[in-house]
């Protein structure tokens, strides 16, 4: 068997009836979180321009656009909703994947589920298959894939979106293998565009391409099912000789990656690589016991060289760049005691206190084994030195967040401005109960800010 055929066989074996209850719950939490941040991200100013570029006026098709009324083709909806889901960089993360597993998968599934009026259980099952493919593939190519400059949320996310779409279409192993091979030619996304709107566009494109791969196979498209291991295939071209191990992707399918190492839900609406420094800064502020105000003389930050590579922006010029500036984010956490959705508005993000402090913030890299370790050292003007560290692996466990109520609070923060408090609470409850729903239409229409059906 080719690699694609082996991968397809494993992905098609995932069934809701035999999956651990905890895996199904984790999938439900992840979908809820993704839909919440997508609705919050649907106001990103570049999305309407993207819709115009696509010729997507919302006056045809069977799929909804999150946060906007109208009907779109499933492909256009997947692209627009995937971009919205990553617009705030607030969507969930995977340590194994070094990226965001849910956004490309959910965006593709949302569009196809509406087109086909799929049941809640069918969508959850397809979601599980999609994210398991992404995270198992990551084991074959990481960390070199990431270090080389690829954006795994997109380059691996396209296979998650393709798998999930194929599962919802009821593909057999051969059809799914062909879909994955088609998707090989559609993988894209490089880290040079981090800090710009192109990064969330990567995710929309992954959702679009994954769904397109499945739809073309449904209409008779064929492919080279050896597209992964071919001399000019995915592994050799994207990684290079000696930097990948396909067998690792085919191992461990008796357990679920969504549970171990799991999917982490973000608490801060910015790049996950800066979260450890933010959390250390918040701890320092708490230890200081009062408003730091003008008391700070200097700040030093240490994060892993792999994390600092794309967060070392000493003076960000836009709100989006600020999401990828560990200097800005650490200073903001110390000064305000939190990082909020409203901190990245282009007109207001560079407040006078942050602007005055940034020249005295220095970021260093470390090479310690724990690549999620962040350390912060603050010297106050009175000579007091405060130091702390944190290890935040791109977010926190969704089960802990649900138990504490933080998962719902985040969802409400992201959605109440669009839906109102009562509708946002009802929508959250509906998503958590979606496994038994006969179809997704009420949830999809609600998240699109339309009347429930």
């Amino acid at each position: 068997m080719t690699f694609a055929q082996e991968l397809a066989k494993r992905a098609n074996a995932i069934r809701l009836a035999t999956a651990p209850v905890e895996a199904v719950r984790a999938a439900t939490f992840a979908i809820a979180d993704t839909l919440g941040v997508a609705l919050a991200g649907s106001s990103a100013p570049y999305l309407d321009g993207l819709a115009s570029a696509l010729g997507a006026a919302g006056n045809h098709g069977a799929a909804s656009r999150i946060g906007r009324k109208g009907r779109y083709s499933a492909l256009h909806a997947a692209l627009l909703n995937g971009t919205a889901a990553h617009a705030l960089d607030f969507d969930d993360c995977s340590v194994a994947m070094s990226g965001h597993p849910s956004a490309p998968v959910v965006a593709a599934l949302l569009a196809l589920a509406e087109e086909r009026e799929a049941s809640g259980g069918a969508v959850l099952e397809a979601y599980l298959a999609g994210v398991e493919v992404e995270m198992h593939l990551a084991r074959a190519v990481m960390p070199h894939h990431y270090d080389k400059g690829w954006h795994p949320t997109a380059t691996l996310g396209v296979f998650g979106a393709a798998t999930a779409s194929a599962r919802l279409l009821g593909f057999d192993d051969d059809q799914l293998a062909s879909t994955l091979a088609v998707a090989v030619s559609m993988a894209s996304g490089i880290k040079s565009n981090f800090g710009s709107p192109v990064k969330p566009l990567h995710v929309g494109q992954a959702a679009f391409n994954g769904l397109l791969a499945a739809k073309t196979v449904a209409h008779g498209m064929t492919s080279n099912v050896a597209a992964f291991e071919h001399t000019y295939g995915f592994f050799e071209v994207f990684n290079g000789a000696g930097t990948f191990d396909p067998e690792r992707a085919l191992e461990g399918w008796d357990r679920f990656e969504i549970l171990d190492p799991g999917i982490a839900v973000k608490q801060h609406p910015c790049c996950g690589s800066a979260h450890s420094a933010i959390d250390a800064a918040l701890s320092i502020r708490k230890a200081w016991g009062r408003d730091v105000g003008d008391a700070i003389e200097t700040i030093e930050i240490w994060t892993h060289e792999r994390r600092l590579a794309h967060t070392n922006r000493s003076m960000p010029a836009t709100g989006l760049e600020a999401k990828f500036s560990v200097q800005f984010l650490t200073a903001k956490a110390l000064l305000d005691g939190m990082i909020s959705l409203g901190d990245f508005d282009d007109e207001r993000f560079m407040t006078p206190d942050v602007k005055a402090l940034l020249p005295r913030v220095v970021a260093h890299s470390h090479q310690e084994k724990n690549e999620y370790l962040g350390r912060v050292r603050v010297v106050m003007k009175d000579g007091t030195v405060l130091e702390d560290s944190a290890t935040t692996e791109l977010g926190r466990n969704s089960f802990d967040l649900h138990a504490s109520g933080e998962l719902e609070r985040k969802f409400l923060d992201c959605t109440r401005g669009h839906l109102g408090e009562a509708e946002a609470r009802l929508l959250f409850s509906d998503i958590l109960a979606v496994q038994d729903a006969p179809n997704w239409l009420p949830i999809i229409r609600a998240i699109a800010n339309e009347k429930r059906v």
Side-chain angles (χ1 to χ4, degrees):
M1 282 190 179
T2 67
F3 177 84
Q5 289 168 325
E6 292 280 9
L7 193 62
K9 180 176 69 174
R10 288 159 174 78
N12 254 347
I14 291 175
R15 291 287 182 270
L16 212 59
T18 55
V21 173
E22 294 83 359
V24 179
R25 289 184 66 210
T28 307
F29 294 155
I31 290 173
D33 183 66
T34 304
L35 293 178
V37 299
L39 185 54
S42 68
S43 299
Y46 48 82
L47 281 168
D48 285 339
L50 178 58
S52 295
L54 292 169
N59 54 16
H60 75 280
S64 300
R65 179 180 167 191
I66 291 174
R68 295 286 192 279
K69 294 181 180 179
R71 288 288 175 273
Y72 299 77
S73 72
L75 289 167
H76 284 165
L79 196 154
L80 291 164
N81 293 337
T83 305
H86 197 52
L88 301 177
D89 222 289
F90 207 9
D91 46 317
D92 63 24
C93 296
S94 160
V95 174
M97 187 178 166
S98 288
H100 305 260
S102 291
V105 174
V106 171
L109 277 177
L110 196 70
L112 192 57
E114 186 170 14
E115 186 178 73
R116 297 179 63 81
E117 297 190 16
S119 70
V123 171
L124 282 171
E125 188 173 85
Y127 170 87
L128 279 172
V131 296
E132 290 299 312
V133 162
E134 290 173 334
M135 291 192 279
H136 276 87
L137 272 173
R139 296 202 174 278
V141 298
M142 293 297 179
H144 184 78
H145 190 80
Y146 187 88
D147 292 344
K148 192 173 182 180
W150 296 114
H151 182 196
T153 306
T155 56
L156 303 181
V158 68
F159 299 111
T163 299
S165 300
R167 284 298 307 268
L168 207 58
L169 289 168
F171 283 5
D172 63 23
D173 291 355
D174 288 338
Q175 289 172 304
L176 177 50
S178 186
T179 300
L180 290 167
V182 172
V184 166
S185 285
M186 297 179 171
S188 64
I190 56 176
K191 292 196 291 183
S192 63
N193 267 313
F194 279 20
S196 82
V198 179
K199 183 175 188 272
L201 178 59
H202 288 172
V203 181
Q205 191 70 33
F208 177 99
N209 283 343
L211 179 55
L212 179 63
K215 279 180 165 286
T216 58
V217 170
H219 286 83
M221 178 68 72
T222 58
S223 58
N224 177 4
V225 291
F228 281 93
E229 65 268 41
H230 191 277
T231 302
Y232 302 116
F234 181 81
F235 293 127
E236 289 285 354
V237 172
F238 278 74
N239 270 53
T243 65
F244 60 88
D245 183 359
E247 288 302 314
R248 295 199 65 206
L250 302 177
E251 297 169 350
W253 284 79
D254 55 337
R255 61 177 178 79
F256 279 74
E257 296 277 328
I258 197 173
L259 295 176
D260 182 18
I263 286 181
V265 175
K266 280 190 172 185
Q267 271 60 67
H268 310 302
C270 57
C271 181
S273 291
H275 282 207
S276 293
I278 292 169
D279 287 345
L282 292 174
S283 181
I284 288 172
R285 179 186 164 95
K286 184 176 180 181
W288 182 246
R290 55 191 184 279
D291 187 356
V292 294
D294 296 326
I296 298 173
E297 181 63 35
T298 61
I299 302 170
E300 286 188 275
I301 308 160
W302 288 264
T303 59
H304 193 276
E305 62 181 2
R306 186 174 289 125
R307 301 291 151 197
L308 186 61
H310 54 271
T311 58
N312 187 12
R313 301 168 191 264
S314 59
M315 190 63 70
T318 67
L320 190 53
E321 283 189 6
K323 286 178 175 280
F324 292 84
S325 167
V326 70
Q327 296 94 330
F328 173 92
L329 295 164
T330 304
K332 192 73 173 174
L334 284 163
L335 291 170
D336 292 358
M338 64 184 297
I339 303 294
S340 67
L341 282 170
D343 288 339
F344 304 100
D345 182 275
D346 280 344
E347 302 300 320
R348 298 189 295 272
F349 81 96
M350 190 61 77
T351 56
D353 55 349
V354 173
K355 187 174 182 179
L357 183 55
L358 279 177
R360 290 176 275 130
V361 182
V362 179
H364 310 281
S365 65
H366 69 70
Q367 297 177 318
E368 297 188 34
K369 185 176 180 180
N370 180 1
E371 69 174 85
Y372 295 100
L373 173 67
R375 296 195 301 270
V376 176
R377 183 176 188 266
V378 180
V379 179
M380 301 297 185
K381 290 181 178 178
D382 67 0
T384 303
V385 178
L386 296 172
E387 299 180 86
D388 213 326
S389 62
T391 297
T392 307
E393 293 190 348
L394 305 181
R396 286 175 53 201
N397 183 283
S398 62
F399 291 95
D400 293 339
L401 292 174
H402 180 61
S404 67
E406 288 182 76
L407 188 69
E408 183 178 22
R409 282 195 291 275
K410 177 183 174 182
F411 184 88
L412 295 176
D413 285 344
C414 287
T415 59
R416 60 163 62 92
H418 291 263
L419 304 176
E421 184 79 19
E423 179 63 22
R425 289 185 180 277
L426 178 59
L427 179 59
F428 184 75
S429 297
D430 286 349
I431 296 171
L432 294 195
V434 75
Q435 182 177 354
D436 298 321
N439 66 66
W440 268 75
L441 286 179
I443 290 172
I444 294 169
R445 299 291 162 80
I447 206 72
N449 209 10
E450 295 191 5
K451 185 177 180 181
R452 286 173 174 265
V453 294

